[in-house]
Amino acid sequence: MSTTSLRAVGALSLASLTLAACSKDTLNITNPNTPSVAGASSDPQALQLLATGLLRQNRNSRGGFITETGRFGREAYVYTPQEGRNTSAYLIGISGQNRLDPAGFAVGSWGGPYGNLRDVFNFKNSVNASNLSAEQKRAALGFAKTIEGIELLTVIATRDTIGAVVQINQDATQLAPFVSRDSTYRYILGILDEAAADLSAGGAAFPFSLNSGFTGFNTPSTFRQFNRAMAARAAAYYATAGGGAAAWTRARQALDASFININATTAAAYNVGVYHPYGASPDAPNPLAAATNTDLYAHMSIDTDAPLKADGTKDNRFLAKIGARPTRNAPQGLGVSSSLGFQIYPAITTTIPIIRNEELILLRAEILLATGDKAGAIAMINNIRVNSGGLAPTTLTAASPDADIVTEILVQKRYSLLLEGHRWIDMRRYGRLNQLPRDLTTGVNAHFVARVQPLPQAECLQRVGQTGALAGPGC
């Protein structure tokens, strides 16, 4: 049975968190080889281990998610000389069929999130059965439900119209049903709102510690600001996936309760947010680090499309984030060459953002435009253009067509959030996947732009013959 199936994911035990927590955050606990729900109910150190494990498992999926969506969104290539499937599986799929291979490489962002969702389920059961105070329980549940919403958002952002599984069964051998995209988003927003309410009633401190990536957001009240930021992202995604005006209103309300600072003008202020930390062994290294990931290349269109400053030089974000690399050709004639790499994550200890203020300002631009405040949206755009990009203010005005303002928002998001996992999702949200470049347009290796990631083939096979069996890609 494949570990990518939900049946196998459901069988993940709490003991697996022992491995996930081996790092600079490692704790000395009694009998660390057999942590259990019962043990965590009475042992604060065991609860700490479980909380640490949820964060570490969420982090474990981040690098793969970014490189997958980066290839789909024509931000990045992974040019491994001896493994052409790191190109073909994402840009070509099944030759001549314009679809991805469910038995291929491009089926990530599935087993990892669902493995962590199983552990969120166990964590919540542990908290509810514990002798924590009512206030501590609310804080811990608010934390866990936020992680639940984040993991499900990853799943639906990559699977979109396929839908997702939102139910985790007590019996891990029972396959839960798929629900629609609309139902998935409504569940995510509901669980994030539940989490926010729990955090509001969670007192002054969590009954466990968070890692260094949550500096400034490590109490229930400040973590709630992070929760609201993630809810704003989820609501904006839902708004462009059928949620409409009500979802945009919900996004605005969540954003207003987040840590957004619309007056930011410096890199430090834009970078305020929550991050995944990395480190040298025994901790996990940053998987995107330029120093060690020498197969990760930038798509050349990032250079040709870069906005120009008044003096004719390129956008400051391009200059800071992109650098020259030895030219490498796609293996086996599967693509074109690139001579650019990323400087965003220079070292194995560089953090990767989960969400930060620069994204929130651009989300605000989206929300204001969608709710009829074009002037406000343009003000947010200009904040980022001028202070982050070093560009002149846009020539757009409140009389400009909405589509032109969306175009400008997407340009700013492209360069502000480069290699953070947004480009492909944003272009799909606004119906613009056809604007992404296809480097080979003819022949047996012609590229196409995938709209969704397929389910892993093993997941489909687990559901053969079941009532309501899937009819999506790969099934």
Side-chain angles (χ1 to χ4, degrees):
M1 184 181 300
S2 168
T3 56
T4 57
S5 73
L6 279 183
R7 189 188 301 275
V9 166
L12 287 174
S13 69
L14 290 173
S16 68
L17 295 182
T18 306
L19 296 176
C22 289
S23 73
K24 61 186 178 184
D25 298 321
T26 297
L27 297 161
N28 295 317
I29 67 169
T30 303
N31 196 12
N33 294 318
T34 56
S36 66
V37 172
S41 298
S42 58
D43 184 350
Q45 289 184 316
L47 183 65
Q48 175 69 70
L49 177 64
L50 299 180
T52 299
L54 295 185
L55 294 179
R56 305 310 291 278
Q57 289 190 111
N58 180 252
R59 182 185 73 170
N60 289 347
S61 300
R62 189 65 178 167
F65 168 77
I66 289 175
T67 55
E68 286 167 348
T69 57
R71 279 173 280 188
F72 295 140
R74 290 353 187 230
E75 282 188 317
Y77 303 105
V78 178
Y79 276 172
T80 46
Q82 305 304 319
E83 182 50 88
R85 287 175 293 179
N86 278 319
T87 301
S88 63
Y90 298 87
L91 306 182
I92 299 168
I94 299 176
S95 180
Q97 296 187 28
N98 278 356
R99 69 184 183 95
L100 300 174
D101 184 355
F105 284 16
V107 293
S109 300
W110 184 263
Y114 279 113
N116 212 18
L117 285 166
R118 165 58 58 182
D119 289 322
V120 166
F121 177 84
N122 290 332
F123 181 93
K124 291 192 292 185
N125 285 344
S126 175
V127 169
N128 285 325
S130 74
N131 56 11
L132 295 172
S133 70
E135 196 172 66
Q136 288 175 319
K137 286 183 179 180
R138 294 293 295 275
L141 290 172
F143 162 79
K145 291 173 183 177
T146 300
I147 301 300
E148 180 179 1
I150 291 170
E151 294 289 14
L152 282 172
L153 186 59
T154 295
V155 172
I156 198 60
T158 52
R159 267 63 193 195
D160 196 51
T161 49
I162 296 175
V165 175
V166 300
Q167 173 185 324
I168 302 296
N169 293 323
Q170 183 69 44
D171 181 355
T173 65
Q174 286 187 337
L175 288 174
F178 269 69
V179 299
S180 69
R181 177 179 66 178
D182 185 81
S183 294
T184 302
Y185 274 116
R186 286 190 284 111
Y187 181 88
I188 291 168
L189 291 171
I191 204 68
L192 289 174
D193 285 352
E194 280 186 30
D198 286 335
L199 293 164
S200 293
F206 287 111
F208 43 78
S209 297
L210 305 184
N211 64 41
S212 60
F214 286 83
T215 300
F217 300 93
N218 52 14
T219 67
S221 61
T222 54
F223 189 91
R224 187 181 188 277
Q225 295 178 328
F226 163 61
N227 166 286
R228 294 293 80 195
M230 295 305 301
R233 179 196 284 174
Y237 283 12
Y238 181 38
T240 52
W248 283 122
T249 297
R250 203 163 180 175
R252 174 66 181 269
Q253 292 168 344
L255 193 64
D256 287 346
S258 75
F259 59 89
I260 187 172
N261 172 13
I262 63 172
N263 297 314
T265 59
T266 65
Y270 289 134
N271 288 333
V272 169
V274 177
Y275 293 76
H276 287 303
Y278 297 88
S281 180
D283 197 4
N286 182 322
L288 308 177
T292 53
N293 191 339
T294 57
D295 296 325
L296 182 61
Y297 274 71
H299 197 282
M300 295 299 289
S301 65
I302 296 171
D303 181 9
T304 56
D305 296 346
L308 299 180
K309 295 181 288 185
D311 63 3
T313 59
K314 291 184 177 176
D315 188 304
N316 287 341
R317 293 164 293 185
F318 172 85
L319 297 175
K321 297 178 181 185
I322 299 295
R325 270 205 163 173
T327 299
R328 188 176 295 185
N329 296 311
Q332 303 165 27
L334 297 171
V336 298
S337 64
S338 175
S339 58
L340 296 175
F342 297 99
Q343 302 175 155
I344 301 167
Y345 310 113
I348 63 170
T349 55
T350 305
T351 58
I352 295 178
I354 301 173
I355 196 165
R356 58 192 182 88
N357 188 47
E358 192 161 3
E359 179 187 347
L360 299 186
I361 293 172
L362 290 166
L363 273 175
R364 183 174 174 84
E366 287 189 64
I367 293 166
L368 291 175
L369 175 62
T371 54
D373 185 357
K374 288 187 179 181
I378 290 169
M380 295 299 99
I381 290 168
N382 282 333
N383 176 306
I384 300 301
R385 279 183 61 94
V386 173
N387 298 301
S388 191
L391 306 170
T394 179
T395 57
L396 294 169
T397 70
S400 299
D402 284 10
D404 291 350
I405 300 176
V406 168
T407 296
E408 184 61 27
I409 290 171
L410 292 175
V411 170
Q412 299 314 309
K413 292 191 79 174
R414 181 183 186 183
Y415 287 91
S416 284
L417 309 179
L418 191 64
L419 208 65
E420 294 183 27
H422 296 277
R423 177 68 171 165
W424 176 58
I425 294 166
D426 284 337
M427 293 296 278
R428 184 185 62 212
R429 288 172 55 219
Y430 285 100
R432 300 188 179 206
L433 289 179
N434 63 340
Q435 297 177 14
L436 293 175
R438 294 185 299 130
D439 298 315
L440 293 181
T441 58
T442 60
V444 68
N445 291 330
H447 294 186
F448 81 111
V449 177
R451 192 181 189 284
V452 298
Q453 284 184 258
L455 303 182
Q457 187 175 65
E459 181 65 36
C460 299
L461 293 174
Q462 289 293 323
R463 296 173 180 274
V464 170
Q466 293 193 19
T467 301
L470 297 173
C475 296

